[in-house]
Amino acid sequence: MRVRDVLSSKGSDRVFTVSPHTTMPDLLAALAEHNVGALVVSDDGVSILGIVSERDIVRRLRDLPDPRAATVEMIMTADIQVCRPEDPITELMSTMTEFRVRHVPVVEDGALVGLVSIGDAVKYRMEQLQFERDQLEQYVQG
C-alpha cells in the first residue's frame, strides 16, 4: 500500500492552495468553502512554501496585535514534512505520528501532486482491513 493508493481512493486529485499574502478573512473563507482543515501555501500551485492549518490559526493568530490584518505567511508552518506517491502508507503514518502533523503534501519531481490528511490515511486503511476481512470470510465459507 502506497501513498498513491490513498490519493486514488480520495476520488479527487485537486489540491487547494493559498497565497502567502492571503488575509485571515480570505483564508477562513477558503477553508470553509473547500471544507478542509489545511491549505498548502504556494505562489504558483506547484511549489510549496508551507502549509496553513486550523491549528496554525489557533496557535499563532492569538499572539498577533491585529489578527484580521495578518497574512498567511505570518502564521503558516514553513518547515513541513512531505512524502512521495511511491512511499509506503506505513511510512506516511509514522511521519504523521512522529512529527505530530495531520496533513502531508505529496510531491513528485519537485511539484505538488496531492495532500494526504490523517483522516484520508485512516479511512483508506480501514477500507483495506474491511476488504481483507470480507475476503477471509469468503475463503472460510467457500
Side-chain angles (χ1 to χ4, degrees):
M1 294 180 290
R2 307 250 174 235
V3 170
R4 84 172 63 257
D5 299 322
V6 175
L7 290 175
S8 295
S9 74
K10 288 176 67 168
S12 172
D13 59 356
R14 183 126 190 244
V15 182
F16 300 110
T17 63
V18 65
S19 161
H21 308 294
T22 301
T23 62
M24 285 307 105
D26 290 341
L27 170 62
L28 296 174
L31 289 167
E33 175 187 343
H34 301 303
N35 194 30
V36 295
L39 296 167
V40 174
V41 182
S42 176
D43 279 327
D44 58 10
V46 177
S47 61
I48 302 173
L49 301 173
I51 194 164
V52 62
S53 69
E54 294 166 334
R55 182 182 281 180
D56 293 322
I57 294 168
V58 170
R59 291 187 176 168
R60 296 191 180 119
L61 200 58
R62 68 186 176 106
D63 295 329
L64 298 177
D66 186 5
R68 290 188 58 82
T71 60
V72 166
E73 67 187 336
M74 295 169 77
I75 68 163
M76 73 181 194
T77 299
D79 184 21
I80 61 169
Q81 301 301 312
V82 298
C83 65
R84 297 169 302 152
E86 63 272 9
D87 289 345
I89 296 300
T90 53
E91 187 177 307
L92 169 67
M93 294 180 88
S94 291
T95 296
M96 289 176 154
T97 301
E98 178 182 347
F99 292 96
R100 299 178 56 95
V101 295
R102 296 178 180 166
H103 301 87
V104 176
V106 183
V107 177
E108 188 170 39
D109 298 326
L112 176 66
V113 296
L115 181 68
V116 178
S117 72
I118 190 75
D120 297 331
V122 169
K123 180 179 181 235
Y124 179 78
R125 185 65 183 127
M126 294 299 291
E127 289 170 353
Q128 288 303 111
L129 290 171
Q130 180 66 42
F131 175 78
E132 291 170 9
R133 189 184 92 194
D134 293 346
Q135 293 298 311
L136 181 60
E137 284 179 5
Q138 287 180 359
Y139 177 77
V140 170
Q141 294 173 359

